[in-house]
Every structure is written in structure tokens, then in C-alpha cells.
Amino acid sequence: MAQTIIDSGNVDYYRLRTDLPKTPEAALEELKQLKLYDLPEVQQSFVKAEGEVREASLILEGIVCAACVWLNERHLRQLPGVLSADINFSTHRARVRWDSGRIQLSEILHAVQEIGYLAYPFDTGRQEELFRKERETAIRRLAIAGLGMMQVMMYAIPVYLADEGTMGLDLQALMRFASLILTTPVVFYSAWPFFQGAWRDLKLRRAGMDVPVALGVGLAYAASIYGSMTSSADVYFDSVTMFIFFLLTGRFLEMNARKHSAEAAESLVKLIPAAAIKLPNWPSGREEEMVAAVKLTPGDHVVVGPGDSFPADGTVIEGKSSVDESLLTGESHPVGKHIDSGVIGGTINLSSPLVIRVDKIGADTVLSGIVRLLDRALAEKPRLALIADRVASWFVFALLAVAATVAGIWYLIEPARAFWITVSVLVVSCPCALALATPAALTAALGRLTRMGLLSTRGHALETLAHATDFVFDKTGTLTTGEFRLIETVALRGERAEVLVLAAALEQGSTHPVAAALREAAGPITEAASQIHYHPGQGLEGNVDGRAYRLGTPSFVGAEPGIRGEGMTVIGLADADGPIAWFGLGDEPRAQAAELVAALKGMGVRLHLFSGDRPENVLALAQQLGIEHARGGMLPEDKLDAVKALQAAGAVVAMTGDGVNDAPVLAQAQVSVAIDQGAEAAQAAADMVLLSSELSRLADGVRIARKTQTIIKQNLAWAVVYNAIAIPAAAMGHVTPWLAGIGMSLSSLLVVLNAMRLSGYKGEPAEYSAATSKKQD
């Protein structure tokens, strides 16, 4: 993307876009530069296209508080053609979907600029640069505020401590004017973002959090100047500088805490290397060429040495090695790779060089898909967050009304104190803590889950998972490995090799584990099937050499199974004349299936096993793992009806599955988890995807989800209690302006720090078992 802009001779765009245009001519030039982002070759690396619908991840510059997020979301959603716009405060990233037939990306970026912010497509280098610049600016503003505060206090303390009549008016005036000179840069540089934000809000006829802060600082500064000019006693330059310093300190610490909590999500996008070693003449030659990873195209061949990361998704065409996928999937053990094995961009080659063929690049890679899903989960707001946002949106208006009322009452009671008490009321309130309570906790929790290999793709997933009372599992590929092997073959007509080739030809396009086992047992497939029709949960039918066949369960082929074996899955092959062969396949439970079942039962969750496999196989597995409720021989509609029956009885159902036939049930459940090795339809319908093969991560996910709800409730309770105590205390004159600044800063900081506890949280099953057991009783 960046290279395309540079190659087109428009490198000045990176200079122009860092500042807002100062004249109409500059604005027009800026708009022309923005139109570069409408070029298909530029959009290729960061825009996901589905017909006319486009989706992109953007960075927003200028976001300083939760109110900024609300403003940008509302403004973007009002644009004709914008389908959705969700912004994550912790990462400053926006996920925008739009209809390219009605609006262009350049118009969306320009619309953001019109309200005083900057937006541009996400890239890791630019985000790191943005954070570095943001941090350096914050340190400068904080340093000037700190130095100004200390110097002003040096002049203020002698005035406070001097006995009446011991300090001359000339000396007092000198100290006041010295304090004015020192306070001015603190107000007009350190506190300038508050005034910018307030002016932006007022121009748009809304009241954000910067409005009361700017009012408090501006009024206090103006009143102190007036007091200095008139030799009045009401001069509090020290309070102004202290308030600004403590407020900036709180925001600086909060900014660093947000950065830390979002690191897991941000680390994913840094996995792709910047460069790759391309083999331009493969297979005729092995000449190597170093190229930028973004310049690779599908079909290119690259060599990846030990210790290097794969630059794109691809297929191994030479070599044998092991790959570390832990950063992406949470997989604790290296994964073996050989010829025809797929590799994921961003994972690390460990032992031997591999030559791979590039299959997918840019927005089409697995890593980009994971980041896109994580962005969606971070941006979508669960129920508690929406409630908090609604409260925060009218909070400032209510605060301004309260401040005006307090000013009027104190003017009647004690006019000399009315002004400073009103300033304290304006300053002490903190709707930001209310607005941050949920997103801060969600960002930390989702980052933790992503590192563990459990990817949340929907904003409501964690909240719903925390309240799940019943877990429904599919059998094959979920609680079992899904790695079937052919144990027994009974050929009723023809030779064993012939019937296996027929079965493998019919299953050639299927991703089901049974299909893979049949293809492996058959060896090279010499027949081709046509007119394939799938019957989810039962089998398939198709033609081979003009003859119609059915392959599937005994009931689907219309005959009693010719194989009897405990724990075996029996598949029949038949034609119009009846059964041709029977295949008995075996499957093993996953290594951590029993551990998962025990952990969930320990947390008081009811467990169910629903499968289309033979009832005796399903019951045997359920008994082995300790699952009390198990049913076999179920069609997809039977599973759907069973889940609906649980929901009708008041259950909150979490469904876990991996196959195409599980997609309707995954969509019906309140929260659903798809296995990463499963079908794409199942993953598309699911709210979460288990990237790791370690099944016990599901239990960890439930623990973290429940802990997240506890943290969110703590944060919301703190925000409400703080404001309920602080505002009345300030209104009664018990809180000075500088103390109000400390309170407001610490309130937001405490919410973020509390949420950060989730970043390293593991939890124990016993922590929640008693509570959930009581709830179910």
C-alpha cells in the first residue's frame, strides 16, 4: 500500500496527512491525496471485499477519551453508504464497513478529518509511530505542567504562610504576576488538548468530557488574572497548575495501561516479516531475491530458513521441518510440516529450510482474518457497554446543570466561595471511568484469550459465555480427534480396493474426517465423481461412471449395518441394487477431553453430547468422559430442536462443534465455539474459534469470561460510587479544585488498572463452582 503511493509520486501525502489543512486550497489538495486510497491496487493489502461491500481497519489519530470514540462512531454511521463503524478505545482502531457503490473510502477518511481527527488505513509501523509521538507529546506536556506547578507553588507557599501584614502588597503582586507568567504555558500548552476537544464538541453541539474540564481550567485561570489585576484574594494559579498536572498524569498512566492491555491484539499484526527470500526461477533455478513481503503474489515461491517467519500463507513444496504456531494458536508443541502441508503466515520455522508456494496474501491470509475477527470483537459493544455509553452521553449535560445550580445556591449563601466550589464540581466528575469500565476489561480479556488460542469474534461472546449454564458438544472432531482410521472393510460386491476407490471418489471434495480416512485408505484415486449432493448428518450421493451411489449412515443407505463393533463409526456404500460395502472407522477422544469435562462440571455447568454417530458409540464416549446427557443418531434438525428445548427451559446454551452440519446449531445457541480445524461454515456461524488443539482452553475461557464480568461490575460500581460521593462533596465545598483533579484522574486510572488484572489471569475452577452450583440449585 505505502509502496504504491510512493511509486505513484505522491510521497508528500505522508507529510500532508499528519496535519489538518489550514486553507481551502490545502483542504482540496488533501482530498486529492486521500483519493489514492480508492485505487484497487492500494486497497488490495488492507480492504476485504464482499461484492460491493468493503471492510477495512483504520487508525484514528486524536482520540483522547471515550467521548471521542462516541463522536467518531456517531459521525461515521450517519454517512450515506456506511454500513457500520465500531472503534476500540484501547487500540484507537476503527472497523468500518461501507457500500462502495454509494461512498468511497476517501470520503470516509475526509469525513473524519472534518470533525478534527485523522484517519488512515492501519499498518503496524504507522501505529507504533503514532503511539511514540503521542507518548512523547504527553511527556512534554506533563513535564511543562510539572515544572510550572512546582515553580508556582514556590511563590504561593510564602503568601499562604505569611502572617497578615508581614508581606507588602508590592511583593504579593510580584509573586502573583510571576505565577501568572509560569501558569500561562501550562494552560495554553499542557492543557491545550482539553480546549481543543471542548471547542470541537461545542461546534458539533454536544458536550464531551473536555467541556467541563476546559470550563474549569479556563474560568479559574481567567478569575486568577482578574484577581491579580484587582489585588483580590481570589488568586489560585497553584490550584490551576496542580489540577492540570494531576489530570495529565492520570491520562499518561492510563495511556500506558491501555497500550499494555492491547499488546496481545497488536502483537498478532507484527508477526508477518517485512521481507521474504523469493525464488523467482523456481523450479528451474534456486537464485534468491530479497523482496518486500507485501510484494509477494499467489503462486510465488519463497524459501524460509530456520528461525524465520513465514511471509504469507502457503503450501510446503520442498523440505521437512517443525513450526512454532504458539503466538497464533496457543499451541504449546511444535507442529510437523512436510510436502503438501499448509503453513500460516506469521508462524516460525524451527528446524530446517522449507520452500513454500504462496497461496494467500494480504487481507486473505489466516492471520489477517484472525486480526479482522478480533477487531470486530473489540469494537462491538456488549449490553453493559451500551448502557454505560448511554449514561455517559447525558452525564455531562446533567453535570453542567448541577454545576449551574450549585453556583446559584452558593452565590446566595456565600458569594466568595461560589466560584471555586463550582470549578471543583466541574472538575471532580468522571464519566470517562463509566465509559471505560467495559472496553478496558474486554480489551484485556480478549488479549489474554487470544494468547491462549481462543479467539472471540463477537462482542457479546464473553458476556454470554460467563452466564452459560449448559455446554453442548458435538462428538466427531470436537471431543474426539476427528482423525479417523479405517479399521474394518466388508465388501459385499467387488474387491476391497474397488469399493474403497468408489467411496474415496465420492468423498473427494469433502472436509469431513470420515472422508479423509477413506481417501487415505484408498490411496491414489482413479475415479471421478459428479453430481454430488450432500445430506448433512446423513451422507452424500453422486455418480461415478454414470452410476448413482449413496454413501453414509446405515439408515441413509437403507440397510442394516454389516459390521458390529463397539465404538466404531459404520459407513455404508450402496447403489440402486442395495449395499455394496460397509466400512468401520475408529476415532479416539482428544487428550484433554476428560480434563475439560471435569473442569466444566467443577464450575457447575451442565454438559450434553449431541451427535449424528451411532447411539451406542455416543453413549460409550459419554460414559468414558463423564458426560451425563448424551444422544446419538441425531440429524442437524434434531440437534437444533434439542438446543431450542434447553433454551425454552431457561438454559443459556454454549455450543461447540466443527462440521458443516453444526452450523445451524452454532447459530441457534446463545454463544458458540467452533474448532479451528473444522469447516469454514461452522467458523462463520460461531462467536468464538478455538485456534489451539488444547481443548482445556475452553474451560480457561469460561473462567476468564466470568472474571471479566466481575471486573466490569467492579469498574461500573466504582464509577457510580465515586461520582455519587465526589460530586455532592464538591458541591458542599469539601473538595478543592486541585484535589478534584487528582480524584478525576485516579478514578479513570483505577478502572484501567483493575481491568489489566485480566491480562495475566488464569483462575481456578473452584473459584466459581460454589456460586454456579447455588444458582442452578
Side-chain angles (χ1 to χ4, degrees):
M1 174 185 68
Q3 190 62 45
T4 303
I5 293 175
I6 293 170
D7 291 344
S8 65
N10 291 287
V11 69
D12 280 350
Y13 178 65
Y14 291 100
R15 173 183 56 80
L16 291 170
R17 73 175 182 179
T18 58
D19 296 297
L20 293 177
K22 297 177 175 58
T23 65
E25 292 75 14
L28 183 60
E29 179 63 23
E30 175 74 0
L31 184 57
K32 290 179 181 177
Q33 299 290 341
L34 285 175
K35 288 188 178 296
L36 287 169
Y37 285 127
D38 297 334
L39 298 175
E41 59 269 29
V42 174
Q43 291 191 0
Q44 182 180 5
S45 62
F46 69 93
V47 174
K48 182 72 174 177
E50 297 176 2
E52 291 293 314
V53 176
R54 302 288 187 270
E55 180 179 322
S57 181
L58 307 176
I59 307 175
L60 263 66
E61 191 170 344
I63 299 287
V64 295
C65 68
C68 299
V69 172
W70 177 87
L71 172 62
N72 278 276
E73 286 181 341
R74 184 179 180 184
H75 183 66
L76 287 174
R77 289 168 184 168
Q78 291 174 344
L79 297 175
V82 172
L83 306 178
S84 66
D86 300 289
I87 301 167
N88 178 252
F89 178 52
S90 296
T91 61
H92 292 184
R93 284 165 64 179
R95 185 179 66 90
V96 182
R97 298 179 73 246
W98 70 95
D99 182 347
S100 60
R102 300 173 60 196
I103 191 171
Q104 295 299 313
L105 179 58
S106 60
E107 297 174 82
I108 295 173
L109 301 179
H110 184 65
V112 174
Q113 290 189 359
E114 285 181 330
I115 58 171
Y117 298 86
L118 288 173
Y120 33 83
F122 172 80
D123 70 76
T124 51
R126 181 63 183 171
Q127 177 135 1
E128 286 297 317
E129 174 64 20
L130 174 60
F131 178 74
R132 186 190 62 78
K133 186 174 71 172
E134 182 183 5
R135 192 172 186 275
E136 289 177 354
T137 302
I139 290 174
R140 283 197 300 271
R141 295 187 193 278
L142 184 60
I144 290 175
L147 289 172
M149 178 191 69
M150 289 186 290
Q151 294 298 317
V152 170
M153 288 300 296
M154 288 177 59
Y155 293 116
I157 288 174
V159 177
Y160 289 143
L161 296 180
D163 295 329
E164 188 175 352
T166 59
M167 182 176 290
L169 294 177
D170 291 343
L171 185 57
Q172 283 190 33
L174 178 63
M175 289 187 172
R176 287 180 174 182
F177 280 105
S179 297
L180 168 60
I181 293 171
L182 291 167
T183 303
T184 298
V186 176
V187 171
F188 288 101
Y189 177 72
S190 296
W192 189 244
F194 301 117
F195 292 105
Q196 278 185 317
W199 177 243
R200 183 169 54 215
D201 289 340
L202 293 175
K203 283 198 301 183
L204 296 168
R205 298 181 181 179
R206 61 175 298 272
M209 194 54 238
D210 287 330
V211 172
V213 172
L215 272 176
V217 171
L219 290 175
Y221 178 69
S224 295
I225 293 176
Y226 178 79
S228 299
M229 298 298 181
T230 60
S231 299
S232 167
D234 296 326
V235 176
Y236 292 97
F237 289 117
D238 53 335
S239 294
V240 173
T241 54
M242 286 179 69
F243 164 54
I244 294 171
F245 174 75
F246 287 125
L247 191 59
L248 290 176
T249 300
R251 283 202 172 180
F252 179 74
L253 294 174
E254 178 192 320
M255 177 184 67
N256 284 285
R258 282 192 289 103
K259 171 68 175 175
H260 178 73
S261 67
E263 277 180 353
E266 296 305 306
S267 64
L268 287 177
V269 297
K270 300 175 186 176
L271 295 178
I272 296 291
I277 301 176
K278 183 179 176 181
L279 303 175
N281 299 319
W282 180 271
S284 59
R286 300 190 67 98
E287 295 84 3
E288 297 181 355
E289 177 186 353
M290 185 72 71
V291 299
V294 295
K295 287 192 171 184
L296 293 175
T297 58
D300 286 345
H301 295 87
V302 297
V303 60
V304 181
D308 294 337
S309 298
F310 293 96
D313 291 359
T315 303
V316 177
I317 59 172
E318 181 181 278
K320 185 177 181 181
S321 185
S322 56
V323 173
D324 179 4
E325 298 182 348
S326 59
L327 287 176
L328 196 61
T329 67
E331 187 70 52
S332 57
H333 302 291
V335 180
K337 300 293 180 181
H338 49 77
I339 292 176
D340 292 334
S341 293
V343 295
I344 302 172
T347 56
I348 302 171
N349 185 21
L350 294 178
S351 52
S352 303
L354 292 175
V355 176
I356 70 165
R357 181 187 66 245
V358 174
D359 295 333
K360 294 180 180 179
I361 60 168
D364 296 325
T365 62
V366 170
L367 181 59
S368 293
I370 290 173
V371 171
R372 195 160 49 246
L373 291 173
L374 186 57
D375 279 345
R376 182 176 71 183
L378 286 168
E380 288 181 354
K381 294 179 173 63
R383 180 179 52 86
L384 284 175
L386 293 173
I387 294 173
D389 282 353
R390 282 196 293 269
V391 172
S393 65
W394 56 257
F395 183 95
V396 174
F397 289 106
L399 171 66
L400 295 175
V402 169
T405 304
V406 168
I409 293 173
W410 274 100
Y411 186 78
L412 297 175
I413 298 173
E414 191 175 347
R417 300 183 62 195
F419 178 78
W420 293 107
I421 289 174
T422 303
V423 170
S424 295
V425 171
L426 288 170
V427 168
V428 79
S429 63
C430 192
C432 280
L434 191 64
L436 281 173
T438 300
L442 284 179
T443 300
L446 293 177
R448 174 64 181 154
L449 288 174
T450 301
R451 287 196 300 271
M452 291 166 45
L454 183 59
L455 177 66
S456 179
T457 67
R458 298 287 181 183
H460 75 88
L462 273 183
E463 182 180 5
T464 312
L465 186 63
H467 297 107
T469 60
D470 292 68
F471 251 86
V472 175
F473 291 98
D474 176 46
K475 172 182 171 286
T476 304
T478 302
L479 289 180
T480 64
T481 61
E483 297 174 357
F484 279 92
R485 68 185 189 281
L486 186 62
I487 298 174
E488 185 177 352
T489 302
V490 176
L492 303 178
R493 287 185 279 151
E495 298 295 326
R496 178 182 183 275
E498 293 174 355
V499 297
L500 275 173
V501 168
L502 277 175
L506 291 167
E507 293 279 25
Q508 192 163 4
S510 174
T511 60
H512 195 280
V514 168
L518 290 173
R519 289 195 299 267
E520 183 179 357
I525 300 173
T526 57
E527 302 284 355
S530 60
Q531 299 181 24
I532 300 294
H533 297 286
Y534 292 95
H535 300 266
Q538 300 179 74
L540 57 87
E541 55 185 343
N543 292 350
V544 178
D545 290 335
R547 190 173 182 84
Y549 294 93
R550 294 167 72 86
L551 180 68
T553 63
S555 61
F556 181 67
V557 298
E560 287 295 318
I563 297 176
R564 298 288 180 184
E566 184 178 343
M568 278 201 305
T569 296
V570 177
I571 299 297
L573 173 66
D575 60 11
D577 298 328
I580 298 174
W582 296 99
F583 307 102
L585 301 102
D587 190 13
E588 296 293 327
R590 285 181 182 261
Q592 296 182 330
E595 180 184 340
L596 170 65
V597 168
L600 291 176
K601 290 174 72 174
M603 286 185 272
V605 178
R606 292 185 292 266
L607 303 180
H608 309 264
L609 178 57
F610 294 164
S611 175
D613 201 357
R614 295 162 58 196
E616 55 266 34
N617 294 349
V618 176
L619 292 173
L621 179 65
Q623 186 176 9
Q624 180 182 351
L625 297 179
I627 298 176
E628 298 176 359
H629 308 284
R631 293 173 58 186
M634 301 179 73
L635 298 174
E637 51 266 33
D638 298 328
K639 294 182 183 181
L640 195 62
D641 292 339
V643 167
K644 288 180 179 179
L646 289 173
Q647 293 171 330
V652 178
V653 178
M655 172 69 192
T656 306
D658 75 318
V660 174
N661 61 323
D662 294 322
V665 196
L666 290 168
Q668 174 63 33
Q670 282 99 330
V671 62
S672 52
V673 184
I675 305 300
D676 181 51
Q677 292 85 356
E680 290 186 9
Q683 295 181 36
D687 303 309
M688 307 180 84
V689 178
L690 181 64
L691 301 173
S692 172
S693 63
E694 298 178 15
L695 207 57
S696 61
R697 297 300 192 190
L698 284 175
D700 294 332
V702 175
R703 295 182 194 123
I704 291 175
R706 291 181 175 179
K707 186 65 175 180
T708 301
Q709 292 305 300
T710 301
I711 295 288
I712 289 174
K713 290 174 182 176
Q714 289 173 351
N715 285 348
L716 290 173
W718 162 251
V720 171
V721 170
Y722 166 80
N723 282 292
I725 295 174
I727 294 176
M732 289 186 288
H734 300 314
V735 180
T736 60
W738 66 268
L739 187 59
I742 295 177
M744 179 187 176
S745 302
L746 290 181
S747 180
S748 294
L749 181 61
L750 183 64
V751 164
V752 175
L753 292 177
N754 190 38
M756 282 180 62
R757 294 194 293 139
L758 290 164
S759 297
Y761 178 75
K762 293 183 179 178
E764 294 297 332
E767 206 173 320
Y768 298 103
S769 57
T772 49
S773 296
K774 288 179 183 177
K775 179 176 70 177
Q776 291 183 16
D777 292 340

Short mmCIF file of all heavy atoms in Angstrom, two decimals, residues 608-638:
data_model
loop_
_atom_site.label_atom_id
_atom_site.label_comp_id
_atom_site.label_asym_id
_atom_site.label_seq_id
_atom_site.Cartn_x
_atom_site.Cartn_y
_atom_site.Cartn_z
N HIS A 608 -23.78 -31.72 27.71
CA HIS A 608 -24.59 -32.54 26.80
C HIS A 608 -23.72 -32.94 25.61
O HIS A 608 -22.91 -32.14 25.13
CB HIS A 608 -25.80 -31.76 26.30
CG HIS A 608 -26.62 -31.14 27.38
ND1 HIS A 608 -27.74 -31.72 27.93
CD2 HIS A 608 -26.46 -29.95 28.04
CE1 HIS A 608 -28.25 -30.93 28.86
NE2 HIS A 608 -27.49 -29.85 28.94
N LEU A 609 -23.91 -34.17 25.14
CA LEU A 609 -23.22 -34.66 23.96
C LEU A 609 -24.26 -35.02 22.91
O LEU A 609 -25.03 -35.98 23.09
CB LEU A 609 -22.36 -35.88 24.30
CG LEU A 609 -21.59 -36.54 23.15
CD1 LEU A 609 -20.67 -35.53 22.46
CD2 LEU A 609 -20.78 -37.73 23.66
N PHE A 610 -24.33 -34.23 21.82
CA PHE A 610 -25.28 -34.48 20.73
C PHE A 610 -24.48 -34.86 19.49
O PHE A 610 -23.59 -34.11 19.06
CB PHE A 610 -26.11 -33.23 20.42
CG PHE A 610 -27.04 -32.82 21.53
CD1 PHE A 610 -27.60 -31.55 21.54
CD2 PHE A 610 -27.37 -33.69 22.56
CE1 PHE A 610 -28.47 -31.16 22.55
CE2 PHE A 610 -28.24 -33.31 23.58
CZ PHE A 610 -28.79 -32.04 23.58
N SER A 611 -24.81 -36.00 18.88
CA SER A 611 -24.02 -36.45 17.73
C SER A 611 -24.90 -37.20 16.75
O SER A 611 -25.93 -37.79 17.11
CB SER A 611 -22.88 -37.37 18.21
OG SER A 611 -22.18 -37.91 17.11
N GLY A 612 -24.47 -37.20 15.51
CA GLY A 612 -25.14 -37.98 14.48
C GLY A 612 -24.61 -39.40 14.40
O GLY A 612 -25.11 -40.21 13.62
N ASP A 613 -23.57 -39.69 15.20
CA ASP A 613 -23.00 -41.03 15.21
C ASP A 613 -23.97 -42.03 15.85
O ASP A 613 -24.97 -41.65 16.47
CB ASP A 613 -21.67 -41.01 15.96
CG ASP A 613 -20.78 -42.19 15.60
OD1 ASP A 613 -21.22 -43.04 14.80
OD2 ASP A 613 -19.64 -42.24 16.11
N ARG A 614 -23.65 -43.33 15.72
CA ARG A 614 -24.50 -44.37 16.29
C ARG A 614 -24.68 -44.15 17.78
O ARG A 614 -23.72 -43.82 18.50
CB ARG A 614 -23.87 -45.74 16.06
CG ARG A 614 -23.78 -46.13 14.59
CD ARG A 614 -22.79 -47.25 14.37
NE ARG A 614 -23.14 -48.43 15.15
CZ ARG A 614 -22.28 -49.45 15.37
NH1 ARG A 614 -21.05 -49.38 14.91
NH2 ARG A 614 -22.67 -50.50 16.07
N PRO A 615 -25.89 -44.32 18.31
CA PRO A 615 -26.16 -44.07 19.73
C PRO A 615 -25.22 -44.84 20.66
O PRO A 615 -24.78 -44.29 21.69
CB PRO A 615 -27.61 -44.53 19.90
CG PRO A 615 -28.21 -44.33 18.54
CD PRO A 615 -27.13 -44.66 17.57
N GLU A 616 -24.89 -46.09 20.32
CA GLU A 616 -24.01 -46.86 21.22
C GLU A 616 -22.61 -46.26 21.28
O GLU A 616 -21.97 -46.27 22.34
CB GLU A 616 -23.95 -48.33 20.79
CG GLU A 616 -23.54 -48.55 19.35
CD GLU A 616 -24.71 -48.68 18.40
OE1 GLU A 616 -25.75 -48.01 18.63
OE2 GLU A 616 -24.60 -49.43 17.41
N ASN A 617 -22.12 -45.68 20.16
CA ASN A 617 -20.81 -45.03 20.17
C ASN A 617 -20.83 -43.76 21.01
O ASN A 617 -19.90 -43.46 21.75
CB ASN A 617 -20.38 -44.68 18.74
CG ASN A 617 -20.13 -45.90 17.89
OD1 ASN A 617 -20.07 -47.02 18.39
ND2 ASN A 617 -19.99 -45.70 16.58
N VAL A 618 -21.90 -43.01 20.87
CA VAL A 618 -22.03 -41.75 21.61
C VAL A 618 -22.12 -42.02 23.10
O VAL A 618 -21.46 -41.35 23.92
CB VAL A 618 -23.26 -40.97 21.11
CG1 VAL A 618 -23.46 -39.70 21.93
CG2 VAL A 618 -23.11 -40.61 19.64
N LEU A 619 -22.91 -42.98 23.49
CA LEU A 619 -23.07 -43.31 24.91
C LEU A 619 -21.76 -43.84 25.50
O LEU A 619 -21.42 -43.55 26.65
CB LEU A 619 -24.18 -44.34 25.10
CG LEU A 619 -25.60 -43.84 24.80
CD1 LEU A 619 -26.61 -44.98 24.86
CD2 LEU A 619 -26.00 -42.74 25.77
N ALA A 620 -21.01 -44.61 24.70
CA ALA A 620 -19.72 -45.13 25.18
C ALA A 620 -18.75 -43.99 25.46
O ALA A 620 -18.06 -43.98 26.48
CB ALA A 620 -19.14 -46.10 24.15
N LEU A 621 -18.68 -43.02 24.55
CA LEU A 621 -17.79 -41.88 24.76
C LEU A 621 -18.25 -41.04 25.96
O LEU A 621 -17.42 -40.60 26.77
CB LEU A 621 -17.73 -41.01 23.50
CG LEU A 621 -16.85 -39.76 23.60
CD1 LEU A 621 -15.39 -40.15 23.79
CD2 LEU A 621 -17.01 -38.87 22.37
N ALA A 622 -19.56 -40.82 26.07
CA ALA A 622 -20.08 -40.04 27.18
C ALA A 622 -19.74 -40.68 28.52
O ALA A 622 -19.36 -40.01 29.48
CB ALA A 622 -21.59 -39.87 27.03
N GLN A 623 -19.88 -41.99 28.58
CA GLN A 623 -19.56 -42.71 29.81
C GLN A 623 -18.07 -42.62 30.13
O GLN A 623 -17.67 -42.45 31.28
CB GLN A 623 -20.00 -44.17 29.68
CG GLN A 623 -19.83 -44.97 30.97
CD GLN A 623 -20.37 -46.39 30.83
OE1 GLN A 623 -20.71 -46.82 29.73
NE2 GLN A 623 -20.46 -47.10 31.95
N GLN A 624 -17.24 -42.71 29.08
CA GLN A 624 -15.79 -42.63 29.26
C GLN A 624 -15.36 -41.27 29.80
O GLN A 624 -14.47 -41.17 30.65
CB GLN A 624 -15.10 -42.92 27.93
CG GLN A 624 -13.57 -42.87 28.00
CD GLN A 624 -12.94 -43.12 26.64
OE1 GLN A 624 -13.63 -43.49 25.67
NE2 GLN A 624 -11.64 -42.92 26.54
N LEU A 625 -16.01 -40.20 29.32
CA LEU A 625 -15.62 -38.84 29.72
C LEU A 625 -16.37 -38.33 30.95
O LEU A 625 -15.93 -37.35 31.57
CB LEU A 625 -15.85 -37.87 28.55
CG LEU A 625 -15.03 -38.13 27.28
CD1 LEU A 625 -15.39 -37.11 26.20
CD2 LEU A 625 -13.54 -38.08 27.57
N GLY A 626 -17.50 -38.94 31.27
CA GLY A 626 -18.27 -38.48 32.43
C GLY A 626 -19.36 -37.49 32.09
O GLY A 626 -19.75 -36.68 32.94
N ILE A 627 -19.86 -37.54 30.84
CA ILE A 627 -20.96 -36.66 30.42
C ILE A 627 -22.28 -37.39 30.66
O ILE A 627 -22.48 -38.50 30.17
CB ILE A 627 -20.82 -36.26 28.94
CG1 ILE A 627 -19.52 -35.48 28.73
CG2 ILE A 627 -22.02 -35.42 28.49
CD1 ILE A 627 -19.24 -35.13 27.28
N GLU A 628 -23.19 -36.77 31.40
CA GLU A 628 -24.42 -37.44 31.82
C GLU A 628 -25.49 -37.45 30.75
O GLU A 628 -26.26 -38.41 30.63
CB GLU A 628 -24.95 -36.80 33.10
CG GLU A 628 -24.00 -36.92 34.29
CD GLU A 628 -24.50 -36.18 35.50
OE1 GLU A 628 -25.60 -35.57 35.41
OE2 GLU A 628 -23.82 -36.21 36.55
N HIS A 629 -25.58 -36.40 29.96
CA HIS A 629 -26.64 -36.29 28.96
C HIS A 629 -26.05 -36.49 27.57
O HIS A 629 -25.26 -35.66 27.10
CB HIS A 629 -27.32 -34.92 29.04
CG HIS A 629 -27.78 -34.57 30.42
ND1 HIS A 629 -28.90 -35.10 30.99
CD2 HIS A 629 -27.24 -33.74 31.36
CE1 HIS A 629 -29.06 -34.62 32.20
NE2 HIS A 629 -28.06 -33.79 32.45
N ALA A 630 -26.40 -37.60 26.92
CA ALA A 630 -25.83 -37.91 25.61
C ALA A 630 -26.91 -38.51 24.71
O ALA A 630 -27.72 -39.32 25.15
CB ALA A 630 -24.66 -38.88 25.74
N ARG A 631 -26.90 -38.09 23.46
CA ARG A 631 -27.84 -38.62 22.46
C ARG A 631 -27.11 -38.83 21.14
O ARG A 631 -26.31 -38.00 20.72
CB ARG A 631 -29.01 -37.65 22.24
CG ARG A 631 -29.93 -37.49 23.45
CD ARG A 631 -30.96 -36.40 23.20
NE ARG A 631 -31.76 -36.66 22.00
CZ ARG A 631 -32.65 -35.79 21.52
NH1 ARG A 631 -32.84 -34.62 22.12
NH2 ARG A 631 -33.35 -36.09 20.43
N GLY A 632 -27.39 -39.97 20.48
CA GLY A 632 -26.77 -40.27 19.21
C GLY A 632 -27.81 -40.40 18.11
O GLY A 632 -29.02 -40.32 18.35
N GLY A 633 -27.33 -40.59 16.89
CA GLY A 633 -28.22 -40.74 15.75
C GLY A 633 -29.04 -39.50 15.44
O GLY A 633 -30.15 -39.59 14.90
N MET A 634 -28.49 -38.33 15.75
CA MET A 634 -29.24 -37.08 15.59
C MET A 634 -28.93 -36.41 14.25
O MET A 634 -27.76 -36.28 13.87
CB MET A 634 -28.93 -36.10 16.74
CG MET A 634 -29.25 -36.63 18.12
SD MET A 634 -28.84 -35.43 19.41
CE MET A 634 -30.15 -34.22 19.20
N LEU A 635 -29.96 -35.99 13.55
CA LEU A 635 -29.81 -35.16 12.37
C LEU A 635 -29.60 -33.71 12.80
O LEU A 635 -29.87 -33.36 13.95
CB LEU A 635 -31.04 -35.29 11.48
CG LEU A 635 -31.35 -36.69 10.94
CD1 LEU A 635 -32.68 -36.68 10.20
CD2 LEU A 635 -30.22 -37.17 10.05
N PRO A 636 -29.11 -32.83 11.90
CA PRO A 636 -28.92 -31.43 12.27
C PRO A 636 -30.18 -30.79 12.85
O PRO A 636 -30.12 -30.03 13.82
CB PRO A 636 -28.52 -30.77 10.95
CG PRO A 636 -27.85 -31.84 10.19
CD PRO A 636 -28.59 -33.09 10.54
N GLU A 637 -31.37 -31.12 12.27
CA GLU A 637 -32.61 -30.54 12.80
C GLU A 637 -32.94 -31.08 14.19
O GLU A 637 -33.54 -30.39 15.00
CB GLU A 637 -33.77 -30.77 11.83
CG GLU A 637 -33.94 -32.21 11.38
CD GLU A 637 -33.24 -32.50 10.07
OE1 GLU A 637 -32.16 -31.89 9.83
OE2 GLU A 637 -33.76 -33.31 9.30
N ASP A 638 -32.50 -32.34 14.47
CA ASP A 638 -32.71 -32.90 15.81
C ASP A 638 -31.87 -32.14 16.84
O ASP A 638 -32.34 -31.84 17.94
CB ASP A 638 -32.34 -34.38 15.84
CG ASP A 638 -33.21 -35.21 14.91
OD1 ASP A 638 -34.39 -34.84 14.73
OD2 ASP A 638 -32.71 -36.21 14.37
#
